[in-house]
Amino acid sequence: MRRIIARPSASDERRTLATLMVSGPSTIEEISIDLGLNYTLGQRTVGVFHDQAILERNPDGSYVIAESALPMVVFVLRETFGLDLLEQILQTQG
């Protein structure tokens, strides 16, 4: 995952992870619409993560972050975007 995310040109990849983290399972079409990507770019972006077992494909065709990759994805989103959903959950519960 580090090789994917560390590239300076990986903004679409990071945005894809953020979209899936916030929106939950999504199809390539939904991801592409949410991020303003053309379909082929959305497909390539998702494919890279799927090949690395960071994303899993559900039977309905939607993609979701693999449970085993969640800690790493949470870390990457917090460090690159400042997106800390765990902190937000704790604040709303407290």
Side-chain angles (χ1 to χ4, degrees):
M1 184 164 158
R2 179 182 287 171
R3 287 181 293 152
I4 299 167
I5 297 299
R7 293 177 304 146
S9 63
S11 64
D12 290 330
E13 288 83 352
R14 291 187 293 269
R15 292 178 344 142
T16 297
L17 290 177
T19 297
L20 286 169
M21 182 64 78
V22 173
S23 299
S26 302
T27 63
I28 291 175
E29 293 84 6
E30 292 167 334
I31 293 167
S32 296
I33 290 168
D34 287 346
L35 299 178
L37 304 174
N38 65 44
Y39 183 80
T40 58
L41 182 55
Q43 207 169 23
R44 275 196 331 249
T45 302
V46 168
V48 168
F49 288 125
H50 187 258
D51 292 346
Q52 298 295 316
I54 296 165
L55 298 182
E56 296 174 345
R57 190 168 187 184
N58 290 328
D60 66 359
S62 64
Y63 287 87
V64 65
I65 298 169
E67 188 174 333
S68 61
L70 276 172
M72 187 178 299
V73 171
V74 167
F75 175 79
V76 165
L77 295 177
R78 186 183 70 223
E79 296 302 312
T80 59
F81 287 137
L83 179 64
D84 192 353
L85 298 174
L86 294 175
E87 182 65 29
Q88 291 178 5
I89 290 170
L90 292 174
Q91 288 178 354
T92 59
Q93 291 179 351

mmCIF file of all heavy atoms in Angstrom, residues 26-63:
data_model
loop_
_atom_site.group_PDB
_atom_site.id
_atom_site.type_symbol
_atom_site.label_atom_id
_atom_site.label_comp_id
_atom_site.label_asym_id
_atom_site.label_seq_id
_atom_site.Cartn_x
_atom_site.Cartn_y
_atom_site.Cartn_z
ATOM 1 N N SER A 26 -19.278 0.858 -2.400
ATOM 2 C CA SER A 26 -19.644 1.649 -3.580
ATOM 3 C C SER A 26 -19.205 0.917 -4.837
ATOM 4 O O SER A 26 -18.196 0.224 -4.838
ATOM 5 C CB SER A 26 -18.955 3.020 -3.558
ATOM 6 O OG SER A 26 -19.279 3.743 -2.402
ATOM 7 N N THR A 27 -19.962 1.118 -5.900
ATOM 8 C CA THR A 27 -19.584 0.571 -7.198
ATOM 9 C C THR A 27 -18.552 1.501 -7.838
ATOM 10 O O THR A 27 -18.367 2.637 -7.398
ATOM 11 C CB THR A 27 -20.793 0.458 -8.131
ATOM 12 O OG1 THR A 27 -21.302 1.770 -8.380
ATOM 13 C CG2 THR A 27 -21.882 -0.430 -7.533
ATOM 14 N N ILE A 28 -17.915 1.028 -8.881
ATOM 15 C CA ILE A 28 -16.964 1.875 -9.607
ATOM 16 C C ILE A 28 -17.688 3.105 -10.137
ATOM 17 O O ILE A 28 -17.137 4.214 -10.086
ATOM 18 C CB ILE A 28 -16.284 1.095 -10.740
ATOM 19 C CG1 ILE A 28 -15.355 0.051 -10.148
ATOM 20 C CG2 ILE A 28 -15.512 2.028 -11.662
ATOM 21 C CD1 ILE A 28 -14.712 -0.861 -11.160
ATOM 22 N N GLU A 29 -18.901 2.928 -10.607
ATOM 23 C CA GLU A 29 -19.667 4.065 -11.124
ATOM 24 C C GLU A 29 -19.903 5.104 -10.027
ATOM 25 O O GLU A 29 -19.743 6.303 -10.252
ATOM 26 C CB GLU A 29 -21.010 3.608 -11.706
ATOM 27 C CG GLU A 29 -20.896 2.760 -12.948
ATOM 28 C CD GLU A 29 -20.656 1.260 -12.650
ATOM 29 O OE1 GLU A 29 -20.685 0.849 -11.462
ATOM 30 O OE2 GLU A 29 -20.399 0.532 -13.608
ATOM 31 N N GLU A 30 -20.285 4.662 -8.842
ATOM 32 C CA GLU A 30 -20.530 5.583 -7.732
ATOM 33 C C GLU A 30 -19.252 6.301 -7.310
ATOM 34 O O GLU A 30 -19.267 7.513 -7.060
ATOM 35 C CB GLU A 30 -21.138 4.826 -6.540
ATOM 36 C CG GLU A 30 -22.538 4.329 -6.805
ATOM 37 C CD GLU A 30 -23.034 3.334 -5.783
ATOM 38 O OE1 GLU A 30 -22.211 2.631 -5.137
ATOM 39 O OE2 GLU A 30 -24.256 3.253 -5.619
ATOM 40 N N ILE A 31 -18.157 5.569 -7.245
ATOM 41 C CA ILE A 31 -16.874 6.185 -6.892
ATOM 42 C C ILE A 31 -16.490 7.219 -7.935
ATOM 43 O O ILE A 31 -16.080 8.334 -7.604
ATOM 44 C CB ILE A 31 -15.777 5.112 -6.749
ATOM 45 C CG1 ILE A 31 -16.064 4.211 -5.549
ATOM 46 C CG2 ILE A 31 -14.391 5.755 -6.616
ATOM 47 C CD1 ILE A 31 -15.232 2.954 -5.494
ATOM 48 N N SER A 32 -16.633 6.866 -9.200
ATOM 49 C CA SER A 32 -16.278 7.785 -10.289
ATOM 50 C C SER A 32 -17.126 9.053 -10.244
ATOM 51 O O SER A 32 -16.608 10.159 -10.421
ATOM 52 C CB SER A 32 -16.446 7.084 -11.645
ATOM 53 O OG SER A 32 -15.553 6.001 -11.754
ATOM 54 N N ILE A 33 -18.408 8.907 -9.972
ATOM 55 C CA ILE A 33 -19.291 10.085 -9.873
ATOM 56 C C ILE A 33 -18.909 10.930 -8.662
ATOM 57 O O ILE A 33 -18.784 12.158 -8.756
ATOM 58 C CB ILE A 33 -20.770 9.644 -9.798
ATOM 59 C CG1 ILE A 33 -21.213 9.077 -11.151
ATOM 60 C CG2 ILE A 33 -21.667 10.800 -9.378
ATOM 61 C CD1 ILE A 33 -22.547 8.363 -11.121
ATOM 62 N N ASP A 34 -18.723 10.289 -7.502
ATOM 63 C CA ASP A 34 -18.368 11.028 -6.280
ATOM 64 C C ASP A 34 -17.081 11.835 -6.459
ATOM 65 O O ASP A 34 -16.970 12.942 -5.930
ATOM 66 C CB ASP A 34 -18.186 10.071 -5.098
ATOM 67 C CG ASP A 34 -19.489 9.500 -4.572
ATOM 68 O OD1 ASP A 34 -20.565 10.032 -4.934
ATOM 69 O OD2 ASP A 34 -19.440 8.516 -3.816
ATOM 70 N N LEU A 35 -16.122 11.281 -7.174
ATOM 71 C CA LEU A 35 -14.822 11.931 -7.309
ATOM 72 C C LEU A 35 -14.650 12.694 -8.613
ATOM 73 O O LEU A 35 -13.612 13.319 -8.830
ATOM 74 C CB LEU A 35 -13.699 10.888 -7.183
ATOM 75 C CG LEU A 35 -13.653 10.150 -5.847
ATOM 76 C CD1 LEU A 35 -12.550 9.117 -5.855
ATOM 77 C CD2 LEU A 35 -13.473 11.127 -4.702
ATOM 78 N N GLY A 36 -15.641 12.636 -9.500
ATOM 79 C CA GLY A 36 -15.532 13.328 -10.773
ATOM 80 C C GLY A 36 -14.505 12.701 -11.700
ATOM 81 O O GLY A 36 -13.849 13.393 -12.475
ATOM 82 N N LEU A 37 -14.356 11.389 -11.612
ATOM 83 C CA LEU A 37 -13.398 10.670 -12.449
ATOM 84 C C LEU A 37 -14.110 10.086 -13.662
ATOM 85 O O LEU A 37 -15.291 9.766 -13.586
ATOM 86 C CB LEU A 37 -12.771 9.507 -11.671
ATOM 87 C CG LEU A 37 -12.079 9.811 -10.352
ATOM 88 C CD1 LEU A 37 -11.657 8.518 -9.672
ATOM 89 C CD2 LEU A 37 -10.887 10.712 -10.580
ATOM 90 N N ASN A 38 -13.385 9.913 -14.752
ATOM 91 C CA ASN A 38 -13.995 9.158 -15.835
ATOM 92 C C ASN A 38 -13.966 7.686 -15.442
ATOM 93 O O ASN A 38 -13.226 7.272 -14.553
ATOM 94 C CB ASN A 38 -13.308 9.419 -17.186
ATOM 95 C CG ASN A 38 -11.870 8.937 -17.237
ATOM 96 O OD1 ASN A 38 -11.560 7.846 -16.783
ATOM 97 N ND2 ASN A 38 -11.002 9.749 -17.806
ATOM 98 N N TYR A 39 -14.801 6.896 -16.091
ATOM 99 C CA TYR A 39 -14.979 5.504 -15.680
ATOM 100 C C TYR A 39 -13.680 4.713 -15.703
ATOM 101 O O TYR A 39 -13.396 3.951 -14.784
ATOM 102 C CB TYR A 39 -16.026 4.826 -16.576
ATOM 103 C CG TYR A 39 -16.318 3.415 -16.170
ATOM 104 C CD1 TYR A 39 -17.178 3.145 -15.112
ATOM 105 C CD2 TYR A 39 -15.721 2.337 -16.810
ATOM 106 C CE1 TYR A 39 -17.453 1.852 -14.712
ATOM 107 C CE2 TYR A 39 -15.982 1.029 -16.418
ATOM 108 C CZ TYR A 39 -16.852 0.798 -15.373
ATOM 109 O OH TYR A 39 -17.117 -0.486 -14.982
ATOM 110 N N THR A 40 -12.859 4.905 -16.722
ATOM 111 C CA THR A 40 -11.632 4.108 -16.821
ATOM 112 C C THR A 40 -10.646 4.453 -15.711
ATOM 113 O O THR A 40 -9.955 3.574 -15.201
ATOM 114 C CB THR A 40 -10.959 4.262 -18.203
ATOM 115 O OG1 THR A 40 -10.677 5.636 -18.429
ATOM 116 C CG2 THR A 40 -11.842 3.727 -19.300
ATOM 117 N N LEU A 41 -10.577 5.724 -15.319
ATOM 118 C CA LEU A 41 -9.696 6.096 -14.218
ATOM 119 C C LEU A 41 -10.209 5.501 -12.905
ATOM 120 O O LEU A 41 -9.428 4.998 -12.093
ATOM 121 C CB LEU A 41 -9.556 7.613 -14.100
ATOM 122 C CG LEU A 41 -8.615 8.118 -13.018
ATOM 123 C CD1 LEU A 41 -7.221 7.515 -13.161
ATOM 124 C CD2 LEU A 41 -8.542 9.629 -13.038
ATOM 125 N N GLY A 42 -11.505 5.542 -12.696
ATOM 126 C CA GLY A 42 -12.087 4.922 -11.507
ATOM 127 C C GLY A 42 -11.789 3.439 -11.463
ATOM 128 O O GLY A 42 -11.441 2.885 -10.419
ATOM 129 N N GLN A 43 -11.905 2.789 -12.616
ATOM 130 C CA GLN A 43 -11.638 1.357 -12.707
ATOM 131 C C GLN A 43 -10.166 1.045 -12.395
ATOM 132 O O GLN A 43 -9.865 0.109 -11.661
ATOM 133 C CB GLN A 43 -11.985 0.888 -14.118
ATOM 134 C CG GLN A 43 -12.376 -0.531 -14.237
ATOM 135 C CD GLN A 43 -12.952 -0.816 -15.619
ATOM 136 O OE1 GLN A 43 -12.682 -0.118 -16.584
ATOM 137 N NE2 GLN A 43 -13.748 -1.849 -15.692
ATOM 138 N N ARG A 44 -9.259 1.836 -12.936
ATOM 139 C CA ARG A 44 -7.831 1.628 -12.677
ATOM 140 C C ARG A 44 -7.503 1.856 -11.206
ATOM 141 O O ARG A 44 -6.720 1.106 -10.608
ATOM 142 C CB ARG A 44 -6.984 2.572 -13.536
ATOM 143 C CG ARG A 44 -6.710 2.065 -14.912
ATOM 144 C CD ARG A 44 -5.578 2.824 -15.578
ATOM 145 N NE ARG A 44 -5.426 4.190 -15.152
ATOM 146 C CZ ARG A 44 -5.676 5.252 -15.898
ATOM 147 N NH1 ARG A 44 -6.112 5.115 -17.125
ATOM 148 N NH2 ARG A 44 -5.499 6.468 -15.427
ATOM 149 N N THR A 45 -8.066 2.907 -10.627
ATOM 150 C CA THR A 45 -7.787 3.235 -9.227
ATOM 151 C C THR A 45 -8.260 2.118 -8.307
ATOM 152 O O THR A 45 -7.527 1.671 -7.426
ATOM 153 C CB THR A 45 -8.471 4.566 -8.852
ATOM 154 O OG1 THR A 45 -7.989 5.579 -9.719
ATOM 155 C CG2 THR A 45 -8.183 4.951 -7.432
ATOM 156 N N VAL A 46 -9.477 1.668 -8.506
ATOM 157 C CA VAL A 46 -10.014 0.579 -7.689
ATOM 158 C C VAL A 46 -9.232 -0.710 -7.934
ATOM 159 O O VAL A 46 -8.928 -1.449 -7.001
ATOM 160 C CB VAL A 46 -11.521 0.382 -7.975
ATOM 161 C CG1 VAL A 46 -12.043 -0.897 -7.372
ATOM 162 C CG2 VAL A 46 -12.311 1.576 -7.446
ATOM 163 N N GLY A 47 -8.880 -0.957 -9.181
ATOM 164 C CA GLY A 47 -8.149 -2.175 -9.524
ATOM 165 C C GLY A 47 -6.824 -2.307 -8.809
ATOM 166 O O GLY A 47 -6.444 -3.402 -8.377
ATOM 167 N N VAL A 48 -6.109 -1.198 -8.666
ATOM 168 C CA VAL A 48 -4.821 -1.220 -7.962
ATOM 169 C C VAL A 48 -5.016 -1.687 -6.522
ATOM 170 O O VAL A 48 -4.277 -2.537 -6.027
ATOM 171 C CB VAL A 48 -4.167 0.182 -7.986
ATOM 172 C CG1 VAL A 48 -2.997 0.267 -7.035
ATOM 173 C CG2 VAL A 48 -3.745 0.536 -9.394
ATOM 174 N N PHE A 49 -6.023 -1.165 -5.849
ATOM 175 C CA PHE A 49 -6.266 -1.552 -4.455
ATOM 176 C C PHE A 49 -6.813 -2.970 -4.354
ATOM 177 O O PHE A 49 -6.501 -3.698 -3.411
ATOM 178 C CB PHE A 49 -7.224 -0.577 -3.782
ATOM 179 C CG PHE A 49 -6.613 0.764 -3.498
ATOM 180 C CD1 PHE A 49 -7.200 1.923 -3.956
ATOM 181 C CD2 PHE A 49 -5.444 0.870 -2.771
ATOM 182 C CE1 PHE A 49 -6.652 3.157 -3.685
ATOM 183 C CE2 PHE A 49 -4.880 2.103 -2.493
ATOM 184 C CZ PHE A 49 -5.483 3.253 -2.955
ATOM 185 N N HIS A 50 -7.631 -3.360 -5.305
ATOM 186 C CA HIS A 50 -8.184 -4.714 -5.297
ATOM 187 C C HIS A 50 -7.068 -5.740 -5.489
ATOM 188 O O HIS A 50 -7.031 -6.764 -4.794
ATOM 189 C CB HIS A 50 -9.253 -4.849 -6.387
ATOM 190 C CG HIS A 50 -9.968 -6.150 -6.335
ATOM 191 N ND1 HIS A 50 -9.689 -7.172 -7.201
ATOM 192 C CD2 HIS A 50 -10.951 -6.594 -5.503
ATOM 193 C CE1 HIS A 50 -10.474 -8.197 -6.915
ATOM 194 N NE2 HIS A 50 -11.236 -7.879 -5.891
ATOM 195 N N ASP A 51 -6.153 -5.459 -6.392
ATOM 196 C CA ASP A 51 -5.027 -6.370 -6.640
ATOM 197 C C ASP A 51 -4.149 -6.541 -5.406
ATOM 198 O O ASP A 51 -3.526 -7.590 -5.235
ATOM 199 C CB ASP A 51 -4.159 -5.868 -7.801
ATOM 200 C CG ASP A 51 -4.877 -5.936 -9.136
ATOM 201 O OD1 ASP A 51 -5.929 -6.606 -9.230
ATOM 202 O OD2 ASP A 51 -4.392 -5.293 -10.090
ATOM 203 N N GLN A 52 -4.086 -5.537 -4.557
ATOM 204 C CA GLN A 52 -3.261 -5.589 -3.343
ATOM 205 C C GLN A 52 -4.052 -6.050 -2.119
ATOM 206 O O GLN A 52 -3.552 -5.984 -0.996
ATOM 207 C CB GLN A 52 -2.658 -4.206 -3.061
ATOM 208 C CG GLN A 52 -1.736 -3.707 -4.142
ATOM 209 C CD GLN A 52 -0.505 -4.576 -4.271
ATOM 210 O OE1 GLN A 52 0.097 -4.967 -3.287
ATOM 211 N NE2 GLN A 52 -0.146 -4.894 -5.499
ATOM 212 N N ALA A 53 -5.296 -6.497 -2.311
ATOM 213 C CA ALA A 53 -6.184 -6.975 -1.235
ATOM 214 C C ALA A 53 -6.511 -5.882 -0.217
ATOM 215 O O ALA A 53 -6.819 -6.169 0.930
ATOM 216 C CB ALA A 53 -5.603 -8.208 -0.556
ATOM 217 N N ILE A 54 -6.454 -4.633 -0.650
ATOM 218 C CA ILE A 54 -6.863 -3.521 0.200
ATOM 219 C C ILE A 54 -8.369 -3.331 0.079
ATOM 220 O O ILE A 54 -9.040 -2.964 1.035
ATOM 221 C CB ILE A 54 -6.095 -2.244 -0.179
ATOM 222 C CG1 ILE A 54 -4.606 -2.466 0.098
ATOM 223 C CG2 ILE A 54 -6.622 -1.026 0.569
ATOM 224 C CD1 ILE A 54 -3.697 -1.467 -0.546
ATOM 225 N N LEU A 55 -8.899 -3.606 -1.105
ATOM 226 C CA LEU A 55 -10.339 -3.574 -1.337
ATOM 227 C C LEU A 55 -10.822 -4.974 -1.665
ATOM 228 O O LEU A 55 -10.099 -5.778 -2.248
ATOM 229 C CB LEU A 55 -10.691 -2.649 -2.507
ATOM 230 C CG LEU A 55 -10.342 -1.179 -2.372
ATOM 231 C CD1 LEU A 55 -10.821 -0.426 -3.612
ATOM 232 C CD2 LEU A 55 -10.938 -0.581 -1.118
ATOM 233 N N GLU A 56 -12.066 -5.232 -1.288
ATOM 234 C CA GLU A 56 -12.730 -6.484 -1.639
ATOM 235 C C GLU A 56 -13.962 -6.153 -2.450
ATOM 236 O O GLU A 56 -14.558 -5.086 -2.281
ATOM 237 C CB GLU A 56 -13.140 -7.243 -0.374
ATOM 238 C CG GLU A 56 -11.974 -7.681 0.470
ATOM 239 C CD GLU A 56 -12.404 -8.302 1.784
ATOM 240 O OE1 GLU A 56 -13.580 -8.155 2.178
ATOM 241 O OE2 GLU A 56 -11.553 -8.939 2.427
ATOM 242 N N ARG A 57 -14.332 -7.068 -3.313
ATOM 243 C CA ARG A 57 -15.529 -6.876 -4.124
ATOM 244 C C ARG A 57 -16.660 -7.717 -3.566
ATOM 245 O O ARG A 57 -16.519 -8.924 -3.371
ATOM 246 C CB ARG A 57 -15.256 -7.261 -5.570
ATOM 247 C CG ARG A 57 -16.373 -6.859 -6.482
ATOM 248 C CD ARG A 57 -15.963 -6.986 -7.909
ATOM 249 N NE ARG A 57 -17.013 -6.421 -8.739
ATOM 250 C CZ ARG A 57 -17.004 -6.433 -10.024
ATOM 251 N NH1 ARG A 57 -15.992 -6.971 -10.665
ATOM 252 N NH2 ARG A 57 -17.990 -5.914 -10.706
ATOM 253 N N ASN A 58 -17.774 -7.075 -3.278
ATOM 254 C CA ASN A 58 -18.956 -7.759 -2.773
ATOM 255 C C ASN A 58 -19.681 -8.458 -3.917
ATOM 256 O O ASN A 58 -19.500 -8.098 -5.085
ATOM 257 C CB ASN A 58 -19.898 -6.753 -2.103
ATOM 258 C CG ASN A 58 -19.340 -6.217 -0.812
ATOM 259 O OD1 ASN A 58 -18.629 -6.909 -0.094
ATOM 260 N ND2 ASN A 58 -19.658 -4.979 -0.494
ATOM 261 N N PRO A 59 -20.547 -9.419 -3.603
ATOM 262 C CA PRO A 59 -21.297 -10.113 -4.654
ATOM 263 C C PRO A 59 -22.141 -9.181 -5.528
ATOM 264 O O PRO A 59 -22.381 -9.470 -6.696
ATOM 265 C CB PRO A 59 -22.193 -11.082 -3.882
ATOM 266 C CG PRO A 59 -21.487 -11.311 -2.584
ATOM 267 C CD PRO A 59 -20.778 -10.011 -2.289
ATOM 268 N N ASP A 60 -22.557 -8.039 -4.979
ATOM 269 C CA ASP A 60 -23.372 -7.101 -5.761
ATOM 270 C C ASP A 60 -22.526 -6.200 -6.664
ATOM 271 O O ASP A 60 -23.042 -5.327 -7.345
ATOM 272 C CB ASP A 60 -24.261 -6.255 -4.857
ATOM 273 C CG ASP A 60 -23.479 -5.299 -3.961
ATOM 274 O OD1 ASP A 60 -22.227 -5.293 -4.003
ATOM 275 O OD2 ASP A 60 -24.128 -4.544 -3.209
ATOM 276 N N GLY A 61 -21.199 -6.394 -6.660
ATOM 277 C CA GLY A 61 -20.318 -5.613 -7.522
ATOM 278 C C GLY A 61 -19.734 -4.382 -6.861
ATOM 279 O O GLY A 61 -18.905 -3.692 -7.454
ATOM 280 N N SER A 62 -20.153 -4.087 -5.646
ATOM 281 C CA SER A 62 -19.598 -2.919 -4.948
ATOM 282 C C SER A 62 -18.265 -3.288 -4.295
ATOM 283 O O SER A 62 -17.977 -4.457 -4.044
ATOM 284 C CB SER A 62 -20.587 -2.404 -3.899
ATOM 285 O OG SER A 62 -20.799 -3.377 -2.895
ATOM 286 N N TYR A 63 -17.471 -2.266 -4.052
ATOM 287 C CA TYR A 63 -16.168 -2.456 -3.414
ATOM 288 C C TYR A 63 -16.224 -1.914 -1.996
ATOM 289 O O TYR A 63 -16.923 -0.936 -1.715
ATOM 290 C CB TYR A 63 -15.080 -1.732 -4.198
ATOM 291 C CG TYR A 63 -14.747 -2.423 -5.493
ATOM 292 C CD1 TYR A 63 -15.457 -2.150 -6.654
ATOM 293 C CD2 TYR A 63 -13.738 -3.382 -5.547
ATOM 294 C CE1 TYR A 63 -15.173 -2.803 -7.838
ATOM 295 C CE2 TYR A 63 -13.447 -4.035 -6.732
ATOM 296 C CZ TYR A 63 -14.171 -3.738 -7.870
ATOM 297 O OH TYR A 63 -13.883 -4.393 -9.035
#
